[in-house]
Amino acid sequence: MSANIIETKGIVFTYADGTRALTDLSLTVPAGKRIAVLGANGSGKTTLFLCLNGILRPQQGQILCGGEPLKYDKKSLRRLRSRLGIVFQDPEIQLFAASVQQEVAFGPLNLGLRETEVRQRVQQALAFTGIEKLKEKATHMLSYGQKKQVAIASILAMEPEILIGDEPTAWLDQEHARKVMDLFYAISDKGTTVIISTHDADLAYSWAEEVVLLGRGKLLGKGPPEELFNHEEMLAAAGLRQPLLLEIYLLLKEKGYVLADTGTPPRNLGALSRLIREGSECRSSS
Ligand SMILES: Nc1ncnc2c1ncn2[C@@H]1O[C@H](COP(=O)(O)OP(=O)(O)O)[C@@H](O)[C@H]1O
Ligand SMILES: [Mg+2]
């Protein structure tokens, strides 16, 4: 497997009504990382994901998966989608089986796996997502947050190399949003490449190892969050702001409440409070 698991080369996608959604987009996605595609509404995040799994086909440019150009015949697409699974933004459109168990079994059955293997994968996916108790439930009876978990489990059961979550925290309350992001963290910990889209700079900053910034279908920037979020003008061009935690850190640094040479900026509250504590200890001992 190539180190860049997905690569797009100058892709252009225009919808039938003439809307240009992606413009000359070239990017490489490194294998095994947590990647956030960050952009305002309408910046092309969903279109990009639909291109990556072959639902949409760019009019120009090329997409490579594991070094191989995407092919659009049925067999190649089925293979691609078993390697690259998308959890769509709205679980209501993703779920269609009568029960949770059937829903999660659908993908592995479609892969032509043996029944014992299917059963094992379903069990593992339910356990991993913490929804074993729901397995006999009718999918239409579930809460929105539970539907999201089932949608994730159904993709996990295919054991994809790449898991994509399109705005995975959209319309979830804080607790369910945290659960989903923890789950995506754990999936990445197992070695799967995990890509999410979001318009939430705070989320991208705290969760991702690599951030891809989109604005009006164009790539505006790419890099580790500590670097990318330093570029205020670039964020403004994307209609976004710096993460709150970073703004607070920079303000505290400017006012001398944290030491000036602390290395990389903190990406969670625990790390920030540690820096403030160290700063105040240093001030009181001098
Ligand atoms: N089916 C469609 N037909 C026409 N235009 C669309 C369609 N879907 C999305 N678009 C347009 O393409 C652009 C990118 O949309 P989208 O990829 O959904 O962005 P995001 O996911 O970042 O919100 C927007 O201008 C949007 O209005
Ligand atoms: Mg979208």
Side-chain angles (χ1 to χ4, degrees):
M1 178 56 60
S2 115
N4 288 323
I5 201 162
I6 301 179
E7 214 175 327
T8 71
K9 292 185 178 171
I11 60 169
V12 173
F13 186 85
T14 308
Y15 283 100
D17 67 354
T19 307
R20 169 69 59 94
L22 299 175
T23 303
D24 193 23
L25 189 67
S26 296
L27 48 91
T28 51
V29 174
K33 291 238 166 125
R34 292 188 305 279
I35 296 122
V37 177
L38 177 68
N41 290 334
S43 58
K45 304 179 296 293
T46 300
T47 307
L48 170 64
F49 290 167
L50 296 178
C51 287
L52 294 184
N53 88 339
I55 291 178
L56 299 178
R57 186 172 185 167
Q59 288 88 4
Q60 286 176 43
Q62 198 181 34
I63 301 176
L64 306 173
C65 187
E68 306 254 320
L70 245 62
K71 294 201 196 107
Y72 293 86
D73 60 280
K74 253 192 184 157
K75 197 170 151 216
S76 307
L77 285 178
R78 196 172 323 135
R79 185 160 172 270
L80 172 69
R81 287 169 197 161
S82 70
R83 298 175 65 193
L84 182 150
I86 299 191
V87 179
F88 289 100
Q89 181 166 355
D90 183 0
E92 310 270 354
I93 60 157
Q94 185 146 6
L95 307 184
F96 55 89
S99 77
V100 168
Q101 198 159 222
Q102 285 168 339
E103 185 68 52
V104 180
F106 181 82
L109 280 172
N110 230 13
L111 292 178
L113 300 173
R114 290 226 299 263
E115 214 181 301
T116 45
E117 169 81 10
V118 172
R119 221 173 299 135
Q120 197 184 348
R121 284 204 185 188
V122 170
Q123 193 48 40
Q124 277 172 354
L126 292 175
F128 198 81
T129 45
I131 53 170
E132 283 158 303
K133 275 195 269 178
L134 301 178
K135 75 176 177 192
E136 310 288 349
K137 274 227 173 199
T139 47
H140 72 272
M141 303 287 263
L142 302 174
S143 74
Y144 188 85
Q146 289 170 333
K147 283 180 180 161
K148 193 85 194 183
Q149 285 172 299
V150 174
I152 297 172
S154 69
I155 298 295
L156 274 185
M158 311 261 285
E159 299 188 352
E161 293 160 55
I162 307 158
L163 184 124
I164 294 183
D166 195 6
E167 308 256 3
T169 60
W171 306 313
L172 293 178
D173 61 43
Q174 279 185 336
E175 192 191 330
H176 281 92
R178 191 180 42 77
K179 262 191 194 164
V180 165
M181 292 321 293
D182 286 350
L183 196 53
F184 277 20
Y185 204 102
I187 295 166
S188 143
D189 246 11
K190 288 197 308 177
T192 308
T193 305
V194 183
I195 308 175
I196 64 156
S197 73
T198 182
H199 57 263
D200 183 341
D202 294 308
L203 178 69
Y205 181 65
S206 62
W207 180 86
E209 292 172 285
E210 182 89 5
V211 179
V212 172
L213 184 66
L214 288 189
R216 297 205 183 107
K218 291 192 180 140
L219 180 70
L220 299 181
K222 183 172 174 289
E226 304 86 354
E227 284 171 26
L228 184 116
F229 286 110
N230 270 325
H231 301 282
E232 273 185 274
E233 308 90 71
M234 195 156 78
L235 290 165
L240 299 169
R241 291 185 50 164
Q242 275 185 316
L244 185 61
L245 196 75
L246 182 60
E247 273 191 288
I248 294 173
Y249 164 74
L250 293 173
L251 187 66
L252 289 172
K253 199 162 110 173
E254 186 192 312
K255 304 282 179 204
Y257 287 99
V258 296
L259 304 178
D261 54 350
T262 51
T264 56
R267 285 173 53 201
N268 57 57
L269 201 54
L272 178 63
S273 35
R274 221 168 14 253
L275 290 179
I276 297 173
R277 203 172 51 241
E278 283 166 11
S280 82
E281 280 166 9
C282 188
R283 276 201 313 281
S284 59
S285 68
S286 62

